[in-house]
Amino acid sequence: MATLFISPGACSLASHVVLRELALPIQVERVALRTPDSPIRQINPLGRVPALQLDDGTVLTENSAILPYLADQVPDTPLFAPAGSVERAQIQGWLGYLASEVHTAAFRPLNRPERYSADESAHPGIRAQAQVQLLQAFEHIERRLDGRQWLVADRYTLADAYLGVFASWITRIGGPFNELRNVQRLREQWLQRPAVRSALQAEGLL
Ligand SMILES: N[C@@H](CCC(=O)N[C@@H](CS)C(=O)NCC(=O)O)C(=O)O
């Protein structure tokens, strides 16, 4: 059986939530991160989650690839849109934005400043600037959600499933992030979805 490798509360929660939303027959395996003996190192040479191992042993990595792949297993799912459609391109645009501008460009230096400088005295400055970048990235999302319930069209899609994870992460920062009313509203709606609740429960987070 195919296996999705996750770590509780990590960005792999997006793939986990979508797997449950689609009720796909894929098992979920928790792994430790950043330990040399973690089994994820045998699956993904980068040692990162999410990683999806298919029945034939092929391994897919990156939320931006795994989320569309999962959705494509269920033709006509409202989580995605037909190949060639503008909606599909818009959903993919948000997946790219979340993976690059929000996760890699902002959360990573905020949480892992040691990857940007070996000089510990530089870390507070890296964190502070990363938080500025993160706020700017979320302000763009906040404006997009003005008068809209979800990021694309008028329904919950892969883009919202992914955004829900990062919208949860910012609650730990608070301050100006608490003022992002549209983002908070989307997060509350995301949290009410049975698939999100069951994924959180399975990850030991409820
Ligand atoms: N670009 C990847 C990022 C994956 C990633 O950074 N995952 C983190 C958890 S949120 C991880 O596994 N970190 C462990 C490490 O970097 O050693 C994606 O979007 O799937």
Side-chain angles (χ1 to χ4, degrees):
M1 189 188 254
T3 305
L4 177 69
F5 293 86
I6 62 128
S7 179
C11 61
S12 49
L13 179 58
S15 292
H16 190 184
V17 157
V18 165
L19 182 160
R20 285 176 185 262
E21 194 85 42
L22 296 165
L24 293 170
I26 297 175
Q27 65 190 3
V28 175
E29 188 171 325
R30 287 187 194 199
V31 288
L33 296 179
R34 290 178 280 280
T35 57
D37 55 346
S38 171
I40 192 64
R41 300 211 161 265
Q42 310 304 318
I43 305 293
N44 177 1
L46 295 175
R48 292 184 181 149
V49 291
L52 176 63
Q53 187 167 43
L54 305 178
D55 289 335
D56 69 357
T58 305
V59 174
L60 301 179
T61 59
E62 303 294 325
N63 272 301
S64 57
I66 295 173
L67 295 171
Y69 175 81
L70 293 174
D72 282 342
Q73 303 313 301
V74 180
D76 301 327
T77 172
L79 287 180
F80 208 15
S85 68
V86 171
E87 270 184 14
R88 187 171 174 114
Q90 288 175 315
I91 293 166
Q92 287 174 316
W94 283 107
L95 298 184
Y97 183 81
L98 292 166
S100 58
E101 302 292 332
V102 173
H103 192 186
T104 309
F107 274 117
R108 188 166 288 159
L110 183 64
N111 295 329
R112 309 267 154 224
E114 68 279 7
R115 291 190 177 168
Y116 298 81
S117 173
D119 175 3
E120 274 190 34
S121 69
H123 294 176
I126 292 171
R127 282 208 165 98
Q129 193 53 30
Q131 195 164 308
V132 171
Q133 293 291 123
L134 185 64
L135 188 58
Q136 282 173 3
F138 263 100
E139 282 169 347
H140 174 61
I141 296 170
E142 178 74 6
R143 286 189 294 273
R144 169 66 180 178
L145 290 173
D146 258 344
R148 322 174 55 93
Q149 199 176 358
W150 306 110
L151 282 171
V152 179
D154 56 358
R155 64 178 193 280
Y156 177 81
T157 70
L158 297 178
D160 307 296
Y162 196 13
L163 174 57
V165 175
F166 299 132
S168 296
W169 288 7
I170 57 170
T171 60
R172 290 181 232 143
I173 308 174
F177 291 91
N178 289 343
E179 306 305 313
L180 302 167
R181 300 284 171 219
N182 297 332
V183 173
Q184 300 302 348
R185 175 179 44 76
L186 184 141
R187 177 180 154 269
E188 280 156 23
Q189 289 166 339
W190 177 82
L191 274 173
Q192 282 169 18
R193 299 186 75 83
V196 172
R197 299 190 71 75
S198 80
L200 288 172
Q201 194 151 28
E203 295 196 11
L205 301 172
L206 264 194

